[in-house]
Amino acid sequence: MKLEVQNYKDTRSGFGDGLLEAGKRNPKVVGLTADLTGSLKMGDFAKAFPERFFQVGIAEANMVGIAAGLAIGGYIPFTGTFANFSSARIYDQIRMVVAYSNKNVKIAASHAGVTLGEDGATHQTLEDVGMMKMLPNMTVLVPCDYNQTKAATIAAAEHNGPVYLRFGRPKVANFTPADEPFVIGKAQMIQEGTDVSIFACGHLVWKAIEALPILKEMGINAELINIHTIKPLDVEAVLKSVAKTGCVVTAEEHMRNGGLGDSIAQVLALNNPKPLEMVAVNDVFGQSGTPDELLKHYHLDTPDIVEAVKKAVSRKRI
Amino acid sequence: MKLEVQNYKDTRSGFGDGLLEAGKRNPKVVGLTADLTGSLKMGDFAKAFPERFFQVGIAEANMVGIAAGLAIGGYIPFTGTFANFSSARIYDQIRMVVAYSNKNVKIAASHAGVTLGEDGATHQTLEDVGMMKMLPNMTVLVPCDYNQTKAATIAAAEHNGPVYLRFGRPKVANFTPADEPFVIGKAQMIQEGTDVSIFACGHLVWKAIEALPILKEMGINAELINIHTIKPLDVEAVLKSVAKTGCVVTAEEHMRNGGLGDSIAQVLALNNPKPLEMVAVNDVFGQSGTPDELLKHYHLDTPDIVEAVKKAVSRKRI
Amino acid sequence: MIIQINLYKFAKENELTVLLDNIMTINELKDVASQVRRDIIRMVHGCQSGHPGGSLGATDIVTALYFDQMHIDPKHFTMDGAGEDIFFLSNGHISPMLYSILARRGYFPVSELATFRRLGTRLQGHPTPVEGLPGIRVASGSLGQGLSVACGVAQAKKLNGDNSLVFCLMGDGEQEEGQIWESAMYAPAKNVDNLVAVIDYNKKQIDGPTDDVMNLGDLKAKYESFGWKVYKCNGNDMQQVVDTLNITRQNAHKGQSQIILAHTEMGFGVDFMMGTHKWHGTPPNDEQAANALSQLKETLGDY
Amino acid sequence: MIIQINLYKFAKENELTVLLDNIMTINELKDVASQVRRDIIRMVHGCQSGHPGGSLGATDIVTALYFDQMHIDPKHFTMDGAGEDIFFLSNGHISPMLYSILARRGYFPVSELATFRRLGTRLQGHPTPVEGLPGIRVASGSLGQGLSVACGVAQAKKLNGDNSLVFCLMGDGEQEEGQIWESAMYAPAKNVDNLVAVIDYNKKQIDGPTDDVMNLGDLKAKYESFGWKVYKCNGNDMQQVVDTLNITRQNAHKGQSQIILAHTEMGFGVDFMMGTHKWHGTPPNDEQAANALSQLKETLGDY
Ligand SMILES: Cc1ncc(C[n+]2csc(CCOP(=O)(O)OP(=O)(O)O)c2C)c(N)n1
Ligand SMILES: Cc1ncc(C[n+]2csc(CCOP(=O)(O)OP(=O)(O)O)c2C)c(N)n1
Ligand SMILES: [Mg+2]
Ligand SMILES: [Mg+2]
């Protein structure tokens, strides 16, 4: 995969543009928002398909219930609000009328993680992936850049079943090919390597890419795989990579507990126990700051990935 | 530890009796319920301390907010409702006004797991431990029998900070000593052994105890540790045990994803990678049935623990 | 296709595809309700769990809906219910009432009622669509959510140009859940006028009378202030129920969200279950069940 | 201890422990509000984020509370607020308004306002007690939760035999959250009469006018139907605000939960921020900030 930055764009715009495209392709696609049309970049969809756009007000629980109803009526609803209010606020509702009832509802969750920035901890969800992956029937997607988020949105619309789609607020490197289709459940090989397997998702994929030349310089030949689908996890790809490299680093904008790292730890423990290092938030709440400051503060940055790799590789040797 | 069944009692009665005792010891202890006084066995407390008991009606979100307010006012509130409505229904609220605000609120969560029985999947939470352990500041307790739940309730009242206390509906073996104090964060050695470490919590501790003689007969000398405190996890006890035995089985009435098994898998991956087998629900919702039928159906029974141990031990050998 | 049929034959044989169209007399509806009440008692007694009180009280309303009001095609159940009226039970704990009515109306074999709450059943403790039970479109049981789903389906019908109606039954204790008021605010604001909500206004919930647990105050004033057209009726008087539902049907599609406060009695039809909240979620023992059944006429044949 | 002080001296020096007791004139209160508005503009401009619109609109209400109404001891902040009046900001996004008022009232140094929303600050984007900022008792920002917490504290005060009051400000868009109606039902049902709620009734929210986003209908009728005593006032007229708060204080402890619908204008005090929802969460650029500040008298000295 060519790793060139095409531009800097927010993943939420990838969602907004993907939703518009999905709406054009399929008249059954409808959108809902809880007073966050602009933040979720759903304005273009709302303008193009006003009768297929539902403004629910600040009532997230009601929104997901309405979405389930629209799905029963044959529609493909995308609900849009901040990630925390897309998950923590309405988990029981999602569980009952979406996951357990197995409705074709897509939950679009923006402003996830600490890169939400200045709004601070109340809005910075670091628990949503952990929540969603516990729900049977739920597909959990965490695309890494604008292009991939757009493609993931289109794929979510085409997928039959509940989907949780997580993305973010800040402008970040947009580097995956614009024309690459999104295959749910298929891990994306970014660079093959032999010494360590790096599994990353979301904004941290780019941070991991930035770590690759540094690691190379140190003589570490890292394999980097983008786990854009947290669930269903591409267990085969994970095990194949680890069988080759013998140690693992995971990188994500999420709590350690419940995140991608825990998913990988489970796969390893059940199949092939190997050393693992986690780049993730370790049991503390977020805070106000700029996205870059916060990534650094919470040790979610490129140097942290480098350090984690060094540690993982060294643990392999003992 | 002597493993004698003293009687058969529901853990929720342990909570009810513990709450009454805590209320007698400390006039600051108050109780709240969302229309489930009887189910939570809070009736005796309500009768003994009517002015310290708050009936909130079917409004769990409001209940936890009121509890946070009472905590601000210097009280030690215990909220009582079913586990699903103690967690999934109000996760954002718990996150903001209890965990992030670090209030001295105790969340008493009854009817957890499939042993809730006939009410079925809507009420059978298998995700609550995973949710709660992701919250900074939150202590997560899953006691194993009546006596321990009573002691845990008293310990929760004495602990300064948010606590999630999970227990269940059916009458089960009551076997821990009635006078044993509950030490938050300290794993409880039930039987020492050398071949495998079994970490269990809640109702499954007794199932694991029942597995011990069967394993012994097979020549497997199992160590059994009751992880009644999921968070903070007694990492030292876990690592010490695994260093000795070299393989692990976890047993819990919870989803694999997010549960005790994942907590142990994380500790192993970060410290000492070893084979692990999980006795837990594997990504399916519950259903109606009797507690015993359901434990069997979801492979949470004594024979399942035995099988898991055999598998874990055999994986150690390769 | 509208076929005039003999109710008893229909319900016994349970095989015709029918759209009943106001063909039943009030007495015939009462007979169905009596059988449904028998079914409820026998189901909760059979598995020794479940919620008889609310089920018995709400029986008349839902019987009237399925046997008099709703345009439905039980033999060809579709998830989207296109062209059909749709019913949601938000207070899912009174599932035995709904299961009995669905079976008696021809959605699935009456004999299946015997599996209620048993391992492997499609008749889960709380309704769910995942086991494939015809007649159920969404799970309920966690209170407060049904009206939201009903609003969504109602809006889907509008998008589809489908003039049929959506009905939703809720509990009165359930009104204490905040989500109810989110959808209560939503429906009138968004012109959801193809929806009729009904509250099983039995003034009781698990811990006691709603007046003690959480005083609901003036529910009529509440819904009116939220913009609804509010009706009252005696929810255990079949004639009143039918009359009130008729009015709401006539007033549908006229720019107003409508709700009926159906005053019911928990445990209605079984003397010792009335006047108390004790039977909200307690099954009768053998003797109590026999006593209860002795008070309820068998009209369509027990399962 | 009640000390008569010169407001300007007090606010400048910021060091005395005082319980203000109706000693400020309306004009003096207006002067405080003007400075608070300057602070708001400078704070959100400084960090280029935050919510100026709602903050400016709600300034008069909270200024009146902290500088005229509430019995508080800013220099000795206690978490339990025993013997003191307590204020909760449920709509936590208008935090710059609260931070300015707390600082100007003596809870923490005015200079700390410069740290708003910056890494490591105690002045988080949304209020939180965990960084130890005096004046904050619970986190807010996720909407709909403050009134519940306020009810809890009010009931704690009752248990403690503490006659002081609890105030809670909410947004009007926030009224769309169901949890609000859970606590709205709770307070009158449980006789929480030592609580005064206030709605920042600016008729705007993020996506536009509330009338378009989610019509709130008749809020007065809604709260009355939920059992509250409802007052109205112009929330940007200091005299009206003070008068209305005085009435609620007199009517406290008389068996009624009270709420004020404070009609405000989002962006009040800055001409180009008024009459639109655009400044809900957008900071001004340099030029806009200068323009805004030119419209707001500096009365207590900028931080
Ligand atoms: C969200 C939620 N909270 C609590 C419960 C437990 N519960 C089941 S029924 C019930 C009482 C419901 O009262 P009402 O709606 O009046 O029904 P009725 O008792 O009259 O049948 C409660 C609290 C639940 N099912 N869902
Ligand atoms: C539970 C929740 N949902 C959504 C948001 C995002 N949000 C922040 S402010 C706001 C609008 C609030 O409207 P209103 O209460 O009228 O405040 P105003 O815009 O007038 O300041 C929204 C939707 C939130 N903070 N919390
Ligand atoms: Mg009732
Ligand atoms: Mg507003």
Side-chain angles (χ1 to χ4, degrees):
Chain A
M1 188 174 158
K2 272 229 247 131
L3 296 175
E4 255 166 36
V5 180
Q6 298 153 35
N7 45 38
Y8 288 84
K9 283 191 171 184
D10 44 350
T11 51
R12 58 183 166 146
S13 285
F15 165 67
D17 293 348
L19 183 65
L20 181 64
E21 178 61 29
K24 284 180 188 163
R25 292 190 193 178
N26 188 341
K28 290 292 181 187
V29 169
V30 297
L32 300 90
T33 191
D35 196 23
L36 287 170
T37 309
S39 298
L40 271 280
K41 304 289 178 189
M42 296 174 93
D44 288 346
F45 180 92
K47 224 163 143 183
F49 309 110
E51 75 293 347
R52 281 156 57 193
F53 189 70
F54 299 84
Q55 171 60 265
V56 179
I58 314 171
E60 294 82 6
N62 192 37
M63 177 165 68
V64 79
I66 291 169
L70 286 162
I72 291 170
Y75 288 89
I76 306 172
F78 280 76
T79 63
T81 180
F82 294 151
N84 191 41
F85 313 132
S86 296
S87 56
R89 183 65 163 222
I90 50 172
Y91 191 60
D92 182 41
Q93 286 85 357
I94 293 173
R95 183 180 186 276
M96 190 168 82
V97 304
V98 178
Y100 180 46
S101 295
N102 208 0
K103 295 299 169 215
N104 197 16
V105 172
K106 322 299 170 181
I107 300 160
S110 187
H111 292 55
V114 295
T115 54
L116 165 97
E118 293 82 354
D119 274 347
T122 53
H123 287 54
Q124 290 163 344
T125 180
L126 297 165
E127 306 86 12
D128 56 334
V129 168
M131 272 180 261
M132 290 301 146
K133 78 182 200 193
M134 288 191 285
L135 291 177
N137 300 331
M138 184 63 75
T139 292
V140 184
L141 307 181
V142 186
C144 66
D145 67 359
Y146 169 90
N147 283 340
Q148 190 161 74
T149 307
K150 185 175 172 187
T153 306
I154 294 165
E158 284 164 3
H159 172 83
N160 187 19
V163 175
Y164 184 80
L165 177 63
R166 182 196 216 224
F167 45 90
R169 175 170 179 263
K171 293 205 162 76
V172 293
N174 184 28
F175 60 94
T176 62
D179 54 358
E180 187 160 284
F182 187 94
V183 185
I184 291 175
K186 184 101 191 67
Q188 184 183 32
M189 179 64 74
I190 289 189
Q191 176 180 291
E192 300 203 35
T194 51
D195 297 340
V196 60
S197 302
I198 306 177
F199 301 113
C201 64
H203 289 146
L204 285 236
V205 174
W206 181 251
K207 296 288 171 193
I209 289 172
E210 289 185 323
L212 292 178
I214 304 169
L215 292 170
K216 197 170 176 192
E217 198 129 300
M218 291 173 171
I220 298 175
N221 180 8
E223 177 150 309
L224 173 57
I225 295 181
N226 174 12
I227 308 283
H228 53 58
T229 305
I230 306 291
K231 188 184 179 189
L233 188 65
D234 191 345
V235 175
E236 205 182 318
V238 170
L239 288 176
K240 197 174 146 202
S241 177
V242 178
K244 182 167 61 170
T245 62
C247 73
V248 175
V249 166
T250 57
E252 63 192 311
E253 203 179 336
H254 194 275
M255 287 289 175
R256 277 190 184 192
N257 286 336
L260 168 64
D262 266 6
S263 290
I264 302 288
Q266 185 190 101
V267 169
L268 297 182
L270 293 176
N271 295 281
N272 185 13
K274 288 287 178 268
L276 167 73
E277 293 295 323
M278 292 181 171
V279 175
V281 177
N282 194 4
D283 205 26
V284 290
F285 283 105
Q287 61 175 302
S288 293
T290 66
D292 284 344
E293 282 171 352
L294 293 169
L295 286 175
K296 202 169 155 191
H297 180 86
Y298 290 102
H299 301 293
L300 305 172
D301 210 350
T302 301
D304 306 300
I305 297 173
V306 171
E307 282 313 304
V309 166
K310 278 161 60 183
K311 194 159 172 213
V313 170
S314 77
R315 283 177 59 201
K316 190 164 63 159
R317 298 207 179 103
I318 27 172
Chain B
M1 190 174 157
K2 272 230 244 125
L3 296 176
E4 256 167 37
V5 179
Q6 298 153 35
N7 45 39
Y8 288 83
K9 283 191 171 184
D10 44 351
T11 51
R12 59 183 167 145
S13 285
F15 164 68
D17 292 348
L19 183 64
L20 180 65
E21 178 61 31
K24 284 181 187 160
R25 292 190 193 177
N26 188 340
K28 290 292 181 187
V29 169
V30 297
L32 299 90
T33 190
D35 196 23
L36 287 171
T37 309
S39 298
L40 272 281
K41 304 289 178 189
M42 296 173 94
D44 288 346
F45 180 92
K47 223 163 146 185
F49 309 109
E51 77 293 346
R52 282 156 56 193
F53 189 69
F54 298 84
Q55 171 61 265
V56 179
I58 314 172
E60 294 82 6
N62 191 38
M63 176 164 68
V64 80
I66 292 169
L70 286 162
I72 290 171
Y75 288 90
I76 305 172
F78 280 76
T79 63
T81 179
F82 294 152
N84 191 41
F85 313 132
S86 297
S87 57
R89 183 64 163 220
I90 51 171
Y91 192 60
D92 181 41
Q93 286 85 356
I94 293 173
R95 183 180 187 275
M96 191 168 82
V97 304
V98 178
Y100 180 46
S101 295
N102 207 1
K103 295 299 169 213
N104 198 17
V105 172
K106 321 299 171 182
I107 300 160
S110 187
H111 291 55
V114 295
T115 53
L116 166 98
E118 292 83 353
D119 273 347
T122 53
H123 287 53
Q124 290 163 344
T125 181
L126 298 165
E127 306 86 10
D128 57 333
V129 168
M131 271 181 263
M132 290 300 147
K133 77 183 200 193
M134 289 191 285
L135 290 177
N137 300 331
M138 184 64 76
T139 292
V140 184
L141 307 180
V142 186
C144 67
D145 68 359
Y146 168 90
N147 283 340
Q148 191 161 74
T149 306
K150 184 173 172 187
T153 305
I154 293 164
E158 285 165 3
H159 172 83
N160 187 19
V163 174
Y164 184 81
L165 177 62
R166 182 196 215 225
F167 47 89
R169 176 171 178 262
K171 293 205 163 80
V172 294
N174 184 28
F175 59 94
T176 62
D179 53 358
E180 186 161 283
F182 187 93
V183 185
I184 291 175
K186 184 102 191 66
Q188 184 183 32
M189 179 64 74
I190 289 189
Q191 176 180 291
E192 299 203 36
T194 51
D195 298 340
V196 60
S197 303
I198 306 177
F199 301 113
C201 64
H203 290 146
L204 284 239
V205 174
W206 182 252
K207 296 288 169 191
I209 289 172
E210 289 186 323
L212 292 177
I214 304 169
L215 293 170
K216 196 171 177 190
E217 197 129 301
M218 292 172 172
I220 297 175
N221 180 9
E223 177 149 308
L224 173 58
I225 295 181
N226 173 12
I227 308 283
H228 54 57
T229 305
I230 307 291
K231 187 183 177 189
L233 188 64
D234 191 344
V235 175
E236 204 181 319
V238 170
L239 288 176
K240 195 174 149 202
S241 177
V242 178
K244 181 169 61 171
T245 63
C247 72
V248 176
V249 165
T250 56
E252 63 193 311
E253 203 179 336
H254 194 275
M255 288 289 173
R256 277 190 184 191
N257 286 336
L260 168 63
D262 266 6
S263 289
I264 303 287
Q266 186 190 101
V267 168
L268 297 182
L270 293 176
N271 295 280
N272 185 13
K274 288 286 180 269
L276 167 73
E277 294 295 323
M278 292 180 170
V279 175
V281 177
N282 195 4
D283 206 26
V284 291
F285 284 104
Q287 62 174 305
S288 293
T290 67
D292 284 343
E293 282 171 352
L294 293 168
L295 286 175
K296 202 169 155 192
H297 180 85
Y298 290 102
H299 299 293
L300 304 173
D301 210 350
T302 302
D304 306 300
I305 296 173
V306 171
E307 282 313 304
V309 166
K310 276 162 60 183
K311 192 156 173 217
V313 170
S314 77
R315 284 177 59 202
K316 192 164 61 158
R317 296 205 181 106
I318 25 171
Chain C
M1 173 185 55
I2 294 170
I3 308 176
Q4 296 267 348
I5 56 151
N6 176 294
L7 161 75
Y8 298 92
K9 206 159 152 270
F10 153 72
K12 278 273 192 201
E13 300 187 352
N14 207 2
E15 264 157 6
L16 273 175
T17 294
V18 289
L19 296 171
L20 292 173
D21 199 42
N22 286 327
I23 60 159
M24 292 183 68
T25 66
I26 293 297
N27 277 335
E28 285 171 326
L29 289 170
K30 285 185 183 170
D31 280 352
V32 176
S34 183
Q35 185 66 49
V36 169
R37 290 192 163 95
R38 286 187 68 86
D39 290 348
I40 292 166
I41 295 294
R42 297 183 69 240
M43 288 165 79
V44 300
H45 173 249
C47 64
Q48 280 300 297
S49 76
H51 300 78
S55 298
L56 292 169
T59 293
D60 302 303
I61 300 159
V62 183
T63 298
L65 280 172
Y66 274 90
F67 283 85
D68 179 68
Q69 292 284 319
M70 286 166 58
H71 294 256
I72 45 175
D73 186 358
K75 282 294 170 203
H76 304 98
F77 174 71
T78 57
M79 185 48 77
D80 65 4
E84 293 186 69
D85 295 334
I86 290 185
F87 172 76
F88 289 105
L89 182 70
S90 186
N91 44 343
H93 61 280
I94 62 172
S95 59
M97 175 277 298
L98 179 60
Y99 293 147
S100 164
I101 288 172
L102 289 176
R104 297 290 172 184
R105 188 64 178 81
Y107 279 89
F108 55 85
V110 170
S111 58
E112 199 167 339
L113 295 177
T115 69
F116 178 56
R117 285 181 168 243
R118 298 188 199 266
L119 190 70
T121 182
R122 302 196 294 180
L123 279 60
Q124 290 289 306
H126 295 80
T128 171
V130 295
E131 313 289 343
L133 188 71
I136 307 293
R137 292 188 171 87
V138 76
S140 61
S142 173
L143 293 167
Q145 304 185 35
L147 189 57
S148 302
V149 180
C151 284
V153 174
Q155 292 195 297
K157 284 197 177 293
K158 291 200 166 206
L159 279 181
N160 291 334
D162 172 348
N163 280 326
S164 53
L165 297 183
V166 179
F167 297 90
C168 178
L169 182 66
M170 301 178 278
D172 52 356
E174 190 180 11
Q175 304 302 307
E176 297 156 12
E177 281 291 352
Q179 187 177 345
I180 294 281
W181 300 99
E182 294 183 358
S183 34
M185 200 182 278
Y186 182 85
K190 304 293 169 172
N191 197 34
V192 183
D193 62 358
N194 51 346
L195 166 76
V196 178
V198 185
I199 295 180
D200 177 26
Y201 202 2
N202 61 18
K203 303 205 168 140
K204 294 191 178 52
Q205 56 190 108
I206 291 184
D207 277 354
T210 53
D211 282 357
D212 299 343
V213 173
M214 177 55 55
N215 199 323
L216 295 172
D218 187 342
L219 263 188
K220 181 164 184 286
K222 285 186 175 60
Y223 270 93
E224 278 172 352
S225 75
F226 274 69
W228 292 65
K229 175 87 187 140
V230 183
Y231 307 83
K232 286 187 181 191
C233 75
N234 178 342
N236 295 127
D237 178 326
M238 192 61 85
Q239 186 70 57
Q240 278 195 35
V241 170
V242 167
D243 290 348
T244 312
L245 287 170
N246 279 335
I247 295 172
T248 60
R249 271 222 306 208
Q250 282 156 22
N251 289 343
H253 298 293
K254 290 188 182 157
Q256 274 208 300
S257 305
Q258 304 182 87
I259 189 163
I260 300 170
L261 304 184
H263 290 257
T264 59
E265 177 119 35
M266 200 184 253
F268 192 86
V270 176
D271 55 10
F272 64 90
M273 289 187 172
M274 289 159 72
T276 170
H277 61 279
K278 295 274 152 59
W279 296 92
H280 160 93
T282 309
N285 62 24
D286 291 354
E287 198 186 325
Q288 291 160 336
N291 181 352
L293 290 172
S294 78
Q295 303 176 37
L296 298 165
K297 193 167 62 160
E298 183 179 345
T299 53
L300 304 178
D302 287 339
Y303 63 82
Chain D
M1 175 186 50
I2 293 171
I3 307 176
Q4 296 269 345
I5 55 150
N6 176 293
L7 159 75
Y8 297 94
K9 207 159 152 270
F10 152 71
K12 279 273 191 198
E13 299 187 354
N14 206 4
E15 265 156 4
L16 275 175
T17 296
V18 290
L19 295 173
L20 292 173
D21 199 43
N22 285 329
I23 60 156
M24 291 183 68
T25 66
I26 293 297
N27 277 336
E28 284 170 326
L29 289 170
K30 284 184 183 171
D31 280 352
V32 176
S34 183
Q35 186 64 50
V36 169
R37 290 193 161 95
R38 285 186 70 84
D39 290 349
I40 292 166
I41 295 294
R42 298 182 70 240
M43 287 165 78
V44 299
H45 174 249
C47 64
Q48 280 300 297
S49 76
H51 300 78
S55 298
L56 292 169
T59 293
D60 302 304
I61 301 159
V62 183
T63 297
L65 281 171
Y66 274 90
F67 284 85
D68 180 68
Q69 291 284 319
M70 286 166 58
H71 293 256
I72 45 176
D73 186 358
K75 284 293 170 201
H76 304 98
F77 174 72
T78 56
M79 184 50 76
D80 65 4
E84 292 186 70
D85 293 336
I86 290 185
F87 172 77
F88 288 106
L89 182 71
S90 186
N91 44 343
H93 61 281
I94 62 171
S95 59
M97 176 276 300
L98 179 59
Y99 293 147
S100 164
I101 288 172
L102 289 175
R104 297 289 172 184
R105 188 66 177 80
Y107 280 89
F108 56 84
V110 170
S111 58
E112 199 167 339
L113 296 178
T115 68
F116 178 56
R117 284 182 168 243
R118 296 187 201 266
L119 190 70
T121 184
R122 302 196 293 179
L123 280 60
Q124 290 288 306
H126 295 81
T128 171
V130 294
E131 313 288 341
L133 188 71
I136 307 294
R137 293 187 170 86
V138 76
S140 61
S142 173
L143 294 166
Q145 304 185 34
L147 189 57
S148 302
V149 180
C151 284
V153 175
Q155 291 196 296
K157 283 196 178 295
K158 291 199 167 207
L159 278 181
N160 291 334
D162 173 348
N163 279 325
S164 52
L165 297 184
V166 179
F167 296 90
C168 178
L169 183 66
M170 302 178 278
D172 52 356
E174 190 180 10
Q175 304 303 306
E176 296 155 14
E177 282 290 351
Q179 187 178 345
I180 294 281
W181 300 100
E182 294 183 358
S183 33
M185 200 182 279
Y186 182 86
K190 303 294 168 171
N191 196 35
V192 183
D193 61 358
N194 51 347
L195 166 75
V196 178
V198 185
I199 294 181
D200 178 26
Y201 201 3
N202 60 18
K203 303 207 167 136
K204 294 191 176 51
Q205 56 191 107
I206 290 183
D207 277 353
T210 53
D211 282 357
D212 299 343
V213 173
M214 177 53 56
N215 199 323
L216 296 173
D218 187 342
L219 264 187
K220 180 163 184 285
K222 284 186 174 60
Y223 271 93
E224 278 172 353
S225 75
F226 273 70
W228 292 65
K229 174 88 185 138
V230 183
Y231 306 84
K232 285 188 182 189
C233 75
N234 178 343
N236 294 127
D237 178 324
M238 191 61 85
Q239 185 70 57
Q240 278 195 35
V241 170
V242 168
D243 291 347
T244 312
L245 286 170
N246 280 335
I247 295 172
T248 59
R249 270 221 308 211
Q250 282 157 22
N251 288 343
H253 298 294
K254 290 187 181 157
Q256 274 208 300
S257 305
Q258 303 182 87
I259 188 163
I260 301 171
L261 304 184
H263 289 257
T264 59
E265 177 119 34
M266 199 184 252
F268 191 86
V270 177
D271 55 10
F272 64 91
M273 289 187 171
M274 289 159 71
T276 171
H277 62 278
K278 295 274 153 58
W279 297 93
H280 160 93
T282 308
N285 62 25
D286 292 353
E287 198 186 325
Q288 291 160 335
N291 182 353
L293 290 172
S294 77
Q295 303 175 37
L296 298 165
K297 194 167 60 159
E298 183 178 345
T299 52
L300 304 178
D302 286 341
Y303 63 82

